[in-house]
């Protein structure tokens, strides 16, 4: 059931994220600072979803971005927001914990 919901909402990686990272992709964790402090990917940056609009200057529009959060819902919102702001390549990585296999 969860897998079906994630598929409908487009949550989770559809691209080869290892390849995206090899091209200089950046992982943006959109959870709260408290959630981020409780565990995160060592090369990710924390920009909480509610602060993303005001923090766009921290990211380069021509570099690939992989968004992540706790479940994939906030990262889906972040992906939509970044694409609407002109970012050329954005991937919803889903849960930060699922991305641990891509940690460098």
């Amino acid at each position: 059931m969860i897998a079906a919901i994630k598929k409908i909402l487009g949550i989770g990686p559809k691209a080869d994220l290892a390849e995206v990272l090899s091209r200089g992709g950046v992982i943006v964790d959109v959870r709260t600072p408290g959630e981020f402090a409780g565990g995160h990917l060592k090369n990710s940056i924390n920009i909480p979803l509610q602060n993303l609009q005001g923090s766009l200057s921290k990211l380069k529009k021509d570099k690939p971005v992989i968004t992540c959060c706790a479940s994939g819902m906030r990262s889906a919102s972040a992906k939509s927001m970044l694409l609407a702001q002109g970012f050329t390549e954005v991937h919803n990585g889903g849960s930060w914990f699922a991305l641990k296999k891509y940690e460098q």
Side-chain angles (χ1 to χ4, degrees):
M1 171 101 166
I2 299 265
I5 292 170
K6 285 185 174 187
K7 184 175 181 180
I8 290 168
L9 296 175
I11 298 170
K14 302 217 179 342
D16 179 351
L17 297 183
E19 188 272 331
V20 172
L21 290 170
S22 75
R23 291 187 289 111
V26 61
I27 298 174
V28 178
D29 189 321
V30 297
R31 296 176 299 146
T32 66
E35 289 175 297
F36 189 78
H40 61 272
L41 300 169
K42 63 182 173 187
N43 293 324
S44 64
I45 61 170
N46 182 223
I47 305 175
L49 182 61
Q50 65 270 20
N51 300 339
L52 187 58
Q53 189 72 35
S55 301
L56 296 176
S57 63
K58 294 180 180 180
L59 304 171
K60 295 182 180 178
K61 289 186 175 186
D62 61 343
K63 278 195 142 197
V65 176
I66 300 168
T67 60
C68 69
C69 63
S71 68
M73 298 298 287
R74 287 176 283 181
S75 55
S77 295
K79 175 185 174 181
S80 295
M81 185 184 301
L82 292 172
L83 289 172
Q85 292 298 317
F87 284 77
T88 57
E89 183 180 354
V90 185
H91 303 276
N92 179 0
S95 163
W96 75 272
F97 197 77
L99 294 178
K100 283 191 80 59
K101 62 185 169 194
Y102 300 107
E103 210 166 29
Q104 300 169 338

